[in-house]
Amino acid sequence: MAKLQIRKVGDPVLRKVCRPVDVINERVLTLLDDMKDTMREADGCGLAAPQVGILRRIVVIETEESGLIELINPKIVARAGEQVEVEGCLSVPGKSGVTHRPMHVTVRALNRNGEEIEIRGSGLLARAFCHELDHLDGKLYIDIAEDIQ
Ligand code: ZN
């Protein structure tokens, strides 16, 4: 159990494109565990590796409905519909803004055992997939949000 430091907007690490994970080794598994702990401690529903200063394509998400989801090298393979909701980010503390996101998103990734998984999410989960995967390409929701408060 370890809590990692969450990088805040202005930190250049948040603007870098992350590299895929080649080998799921002990370091990757420890990072997944630490990211989960850090996300829970911060009361967030998602965290991407660059938010803790690691430029690898790794994401954790946890909503009440979905439970804990760990994604390695995730890709969005399908999107449908639209939702307009208020969004925030652990790296942009104290702010929120309105974003347009797809209502349904399907993600393909590897799990911690190296198995290919496909998960379909709607509503909040779809939004979390888009938000967290954007982090892996150096994008923040404030780039696309309207009405940031
Ligand atoms: Zn974020």
Side-chain angles (χ1 to χ4, degrees):
M1 296 269 282
K3 200 183 148 245
L4 306 170
Q5 196 206 326
I6 297 179
R7 306 301 184 91
K8 302 289 164 21
V9 63
D11 189 322
V13 80
L14 292 173
R15 293 306 192 172
K16 302 256 162 74
V17 174
C18 298
R19 283 179 300 150
V21 174
D22 310 315
V23 186
I24 302 173
N25 55 21
E26 209 52 47
R27 274 177 62 189
V28 170
L29 300 180
T30 302
L31 177 61
L32 281 167
D33 291 338
D34 291 348
M35 284 173 62
K36 174 197 70 186
D37 292 341
T38 305
M39 169 181 67
R40 287 180 176 168
E41 178 84 21
D43 210 18
C45 65
L47 193 69
Q51 291 183 277
V52 293
I54 309 281
L55 291 171
R56 289 291 181 172
R57 304 190 81 84
I58 297 174
V59 159
V60 295
I61 289 172
E62 189 169 49
T63 70
E64 217 167 285
E65 216 181 301
S66 70
L68 179 67
I69 296 174
E70 297 174 324
L71 302 172
I72 298 166
N73 299 343
K75 275 198 182 86
I76 292 177
V77 294
R79 54 184 94 211
E82 197 197 24
Q83 55 177 322
V84 181
E85 289 288 343
V86 175
E87 196 164 316
C89 177
L90 293 174
S91 293
V92 190
K95 296 211 166 159
S96 62
V98 176
T99 57
H100 294 245
R101 299 282 196 190
M103 181 55 90
H104 310 283
V105 171
T106 305
V107 166
R108 202 172 288 161
L110 298 177
N111 66 15
R112 64 162 55 222
N113 302 316
E115 298 153 347
E116 194 164 283
I117 53 169
E118 202 173 282
I119 306 175
R120 186 164 195 258
S122 297
L124 173 61
L125 186 55
R127 214 158 359 112
F129 283 149
C130 294
H131 179 116
E132 300 309 331
L133 268 64
D134 273 355
H135 273 299
L136 304 181
D137 291 318
K139 298 180 197 154
L140 299 175
Y141 87 93
I142 48 173
D143 304 341
I144 56 163
E146 299 159 5
D147 207 14
I148 297 169
Q149 313 245 328

